[in-house]
Amino acid sequence: FPPHPCKSSLSDPSDDEAIDKASDNRSATHQDSDSKAAVTRKRKQPTECFLSQPEEKQESTVKAKRRKKKKISDILEKSAPKPGVPADLQNLLSQHFAESRSVIEIEELKLTDSCFLPANDLTHSFSSYLKEICPKWAKLRKNHREKKSVVMLVICSSALRSLELIKSMTAFKGDCRVLKLFAKHIKIKEQMNMLEKGVFHIGVGTPGRVKALVEQDGLFLNSTKYMILDWNWRDQKLRRMMDIPEIKKETIDLLEMSIIKLCREGSVKLGLF
């Protein structure tokens, strides 16, 4: 028999429940997806914040480290002035050549105490120090007649310091001739011409220029009796000449090139002012 027409139009209660459940499921699915998207957005947001935080911390840590890095002036400011002694120069040479030279080669660079003049105890002016270490200066000055050479070499860190030392040795030098041996405003050819034409007793300058003059045969050290290092003086940043890497290297190069050999032979004496 064909189905009753009324039965097709009437809905079964179980069908209604199924429809309601399906709609509930769809709405629940939408809610779940919405909640998941919200959760995802919420999760993404703190993740981005989390990533930015370590970078900021790292930058601030680097800045803090940069601030905390001690400068040579900070260290020296807290330390009391201490006069240089021969052992200081010996240690400096040993440390400088420790990685590049053998033990035997470093031993050859060592100087005995007899190679050194009395060190400045920080009570002397430059003139009074020179008078103490060189009591027979008048005789040495009078007997010196060789060109391209000086009796005394004074090595310091800058042209400005060289001029200060030249002014401060007035009571010692007498009528002897002093030559400026630094690079500022003075060409090396001018200094070579002056050394070739005239007789000079004292040369005051920087290690770099003195080294260049020796290398180019503009200055001979065969007549040099004294080499004074401006060891204890400090600049505005409280650095001594050996605290400045470039000056330190040039000084050591000059010493190694010829001065150490002359000291070991007994013809040159080293002084630490």
Side-chain angles (χ1 to χ4, degrees), residues 60 112 125 261:
S60 61
T112 60
S125 66
K261 183 185 174 185

Coordinates of all heavy atoms in Angstrom, one line a residue, residues 60 112 125 261:
S60 N 70.7 45.4 26.7 CA 71.0 46.1 28.0 C 72.2 45.5 28.7 O 73.0 46.1 29.3 CB 69.8 46.0 28.9 OG 69.5 44.7 29.2
T112 N 121.7 43.5 32.4 CA 122.1 43.5 33.8 C 121.8 44.8 34.5 O 121.6 45.8 33.8 CB 123.6 43.1 33.9 OG1 124.3 44.1 33.2 CG2 123.9 41.8 33.3
S125 N 113.3 67.0 39.5 CA 113.0 67.7 38.3 C 113.8 67.0 37.2 O 114.7 66.3 37.5 CB 113.3 69.2 38.4 OG 114.7 69.4 38.5
K261 N 121.8 46.0 22.4 CA 123.2 45.5 22.1 C 124.2 46.5 22.6 O 125.2 46.0 23.2 CB 123.3 45.4 20.6 CG 124.6 44.8 20.1 CD 124.8 44.8 18.6 CE 126.2 44.4 18.2 NZ 126.4 44.5 16.8

